[in-house]
Amino acid sequence: MIDSRGSLKSVVRHAVQLDEDYDDIAPAVTALAASGDTTLVPHLLEALQRFLDEENFYGRDLIAAVLAGIDATAALPALLRASATDLGDDQDSLQSEIIELLHGDTTAGRGVAREFATADTPDLRRVGLWALGFVIDAQDVELLSAAAIDTDATIRSIAIGSIPDPAGNDRAFHTLVAALRDPDEQVRTSAVSRLGYTGRRDAVAPLIGLVADEAPRVRSMLAYALGRLRSDEATPTLQRLVHDSDRHVRERAVEALGSVGGPAAVDTLLLLAADANPQLRIHAAKALPRAVDSDSRVAPRLVELARDGQAAVRAATVSGLASSEAPPSRWENLLVELADDGDPMVRQRVAVVVRQLAPAAAQNILHRYTRDADATLRRLAAAELERLTNSPL
């Protein structure tokens, strides 16, 4: 039995004075959290408010840990209100306590989160929607759809990120489609990302409407999302994005063309693979392996890229082969050929993927690399050999 009141005073004094290390007070915090002494709750709430008023996030976190241990889910409202008060920190400890309580009793936690998500003030709605995301249910789609048109952009963004899986939920799907027209860049980016994971072909048409979006981040996410959806309907849009003014958008678009595949997409990639600009050949080398099963022209071009005069192109080809969905044996001979490449960058890439693409030859190649003149390659080979030795049969 511990002296609960005395221990709590010690914790509060420690948080105020910071006269000792956390390790010195940690046993008291742990003991209080496990004490089950609910008579401490009013005192804990008082201390929590004090630390919020004083903008002392360290004290806030200590009290939150004790309160969560003693009061369990009943502590959620107090901890969510504390989280809604911005003290300028990342709230890692506090949010961990909240998440654990939500998972400990999802029904009760969801009820509290929904209550906060419909509160009068934006700060409380934000934290409520954030919490609801950890215990989301299909029945929450109406609440989140309403939040998706909130006047607060952060609330709209959180709501879009928390929408239940729209793959089989038309209400959720249409909420995301509507959010594509949101004035806030982050909301549009979140909506594009979520739609990209739906697997729904009817997501392509509304997405391609963002091809001229003013925000490069939105266009970049658009290319990624269209690549995930793998619909040839997206090919003309991706071909346009290949020539975007933003480098990241262009790179994402090339990668997405590889994922979509098909003759039209491969036409574009083959043009890039033959371009005089080695940077364009690098992008093509990374993307083409994704399309190898969709067009017979891809494999011969990859062999050519693997023998390109630029080492960076050859290295990119090795990386690209690792993303192919073709059986590893398809690339084994090519990888064995590249294992003796004269450039250490290429050999380094081979070392990283050889277990995946040429398992029969991996041990021999890696052992040879442990004696290579390149120090980086020796370290990579040693690490990959250890993984090879410890990998399950």
Side-chain angles (χ1 to χ4, degrees), residues 342 344 347-348 368-379:
R347 300 198 301 278
Q348 289 167 16
R368 182 152 43 90
Y369 281 174
T370 61
R371 300 184 297 274
D372 196 273
D374 182 72
T376 300
L377 181 56
R378 294 198 301 271
R379 288 195 296 271

Side-chain angles (χ1 to χ4, degrees), residues 145-160:
S145 294
I149 56 173
D150 196 278
T151 57
D152 185 287
T154 302
I155 288 175
R156 300 198 303 272
S157 181
I158 296 172
I160 291 302

Side-chain angles (χ1 to χ4, degrees), residues 222-231 234 238 255-257 259-260:
L222 170 64
Y224 177 77
L226 293 176
R228 285 198 58 86
L229 290 171
R230 297 188 172 189
S231 169
L238 291 171
E255 180 181 334
L257 283 171
S259 297
V260 171

Side-chain angles (χ1 to χ4, degrees), residues 307-322:
R307 296 167 180 166
D308 193 275
Q310 293 285 329
V313 176
R314 301 196 300 275
T317 306
V318 175
S319 296
L321 294 177

Side-chain angles (χ1 to χ4, degrees), residues 196-207:
Y197 283 90
T198 63
R200 294 179 59 146
R201 188 180 180 86
D202 55 349
V204 175
L207 281 171

